[in-house]
Amino acid sequence: MMITLRAIIVVLLQIGWIPSVYTNAAYEVNFLTNSRSVSESDGMINIALNITGGSGFTLVQLSATDGTAIMGMDYNLLTTTTGDGNVLVEIIDDNINEEAESFNISITSCVDQITNDVCTVGSIDTIEITIEATFEVNFLTNSRSVSESDGMINIALNITGGSGFTLVQLSATDGTAIMGMDYNLLTTTTGDGNVLVEIIDDNINEEAESFNISITSCVDQITNDVCTVGS
């Protein structure tokens, strides 16, 4: 049979070998901050509590209150009772273009599981979580092989979030392939997520050549929000 540290402490307290030194004014639980911003793409997030005093075995009860973010649609509070000071929250990506949304998590009660002392809930008893909609643009892959005989090729961008009217700026950098001789970047600005490139067949027997196309900036044409360029 495994004997836990908690069980040993309880027995020692009961027989008087350890004085009850945990009841004091410094026994307090609160959040480390009263606000936090997250992204819809974050998925699971952890919120740490600050526990001062007590025996080290504090049970904390929590509750969530909807703001513009709705439980079950935009988030889920997975931890309503914690014994280790960690609160797990699921952030749901609904793939809807929307403004930032928020909800609150509050500490409702806390008690020492060893001494049964009730702790004080500190001044930061509630944290506001703001969910920022994901607005990101990147390529679907970081490399692609083509043939000189392919002529015109299209490279699709992956656009997440936004109003559906995202303007993306692009640039090309020569490697062993030279702009104007081996290829031409025909799309330096795109509003539909497609990038057109001309591959030039120079009819020369040569090694494989390469060049790079990069996303330099992106902005929502309706909201003027600047997107994040993904990895």
Side-chain angles (χ1 to χ4, degrees):
M1 180 179 65
M2 181 179 294
I3 301 175
T4 65
L5 175 61
R6 178 186 173 191
I8 294 172
I9 293 173
V10 170
V11 171
L12 293 177
L13 281 168
Q14 289 174 344
I15 65 177
W17 283 17
I18 298 179
S20 182
V21 296
Y22 303 118
T23 303
N24 55 70
Y27 184 26
E28 185 177 84
V29 177
N30 55 29
F31 291 103
L32 296 172
T33 179
N34 60 5
S35 64
R36 177 173 170 181
S37 292
V38 299
S39 171
E40 279 193 338
S41 61
D42 284 347
M44 298 295 182
I45 64 168
N46 182 69
I47 302 169
L49 297 173
N50 182 39
I51 302 175
T52 305
S55 68
F57 297 92
T58 298
L59 194 68
V60 183
Q61 302 284 339
L62 303 113
S63 65
T65 305
D66 292 344
T68 48
I70 308 300
M71 172 90 80
M73 294 177 59
D74 301 301
Y75 74 97
N76 282 309
L77 177 60
L78 303 181
T79 305
T80 55
T81 302
T82 178
D84 63 4
N86 292 298
V87 182
L88 191 63
V89 180
E90 178 190 18
I91 305 299
I92 301 172
D93 191 345
D94 53 17
N95 294 308
I96 298 173
N97 178 41
E98 55 196 350
E99 298 294 325
E101 300 170 314
S102 65
F103 64 97
N104 294 324
I105 300 174
S106 301
I107 301 168
T108 57
S109 66
C110 46
V111 64
D112 193 304
Q113 299 178 77
I114 302 298
T115 65
N116 289 322
D117 290 337
V118 176
C119 76
T120 300
V121 178
S123 58
I124 309 178
D125 62 344
T126 298
I127 183 170
E128 181 183 39
I129 307 296
T130 300
I131 306 172
E132 303 286 351
T134 303
F135 182 26
E136 186 177 82
V137 177
N138 54 23
F139 291 105
L140 294 172
T141 178
N142 61 3
S143 64
R144 177 173 171 182
S145 294
V146 299
S147 171
E148 278 193 342
S149 61
D150 285 347
M152 298 295 181
I153 64 167
N154 182 70
I155 302 170
L157 298 174
N158 181 41
I159 303 175
T160 305
S163 67
F165 298 91
T166 300
L167 194 67
V168 183
Q169 303 284 340
L170 304 111
S171 65
T173 306
D174 291 344
T176 49
I178 308 301
M179 173 90 80
M181 296 177 59
D182 301 300
Y183 74 96
N184 282 308
L185 176 61
L186 303 181
T187 305
T188 56
T189 302
T190 178
D192 62 6
N194 292 297
V195 181
L196 192 62
V197 180
E198 178 189 17
I199 305 300
I200 302 172
D201 190 347
D202 54 16
N203 295 307
I204 298 174
N205 182 33
E206 55 195 352
E207 297 293 325
E209 301 170 313
S210 64
F211 62 97
N212 293 323
I213 300 174
S214 301
I215 300 168
T216 57
S217 66
C218 46
V219 64
D220 192 304
Q221 299 178 78
I222 302 299
T223 65
N224 290 322
D225 291 336
V226 176
C227 77
T228 300
V229 177
S231 57

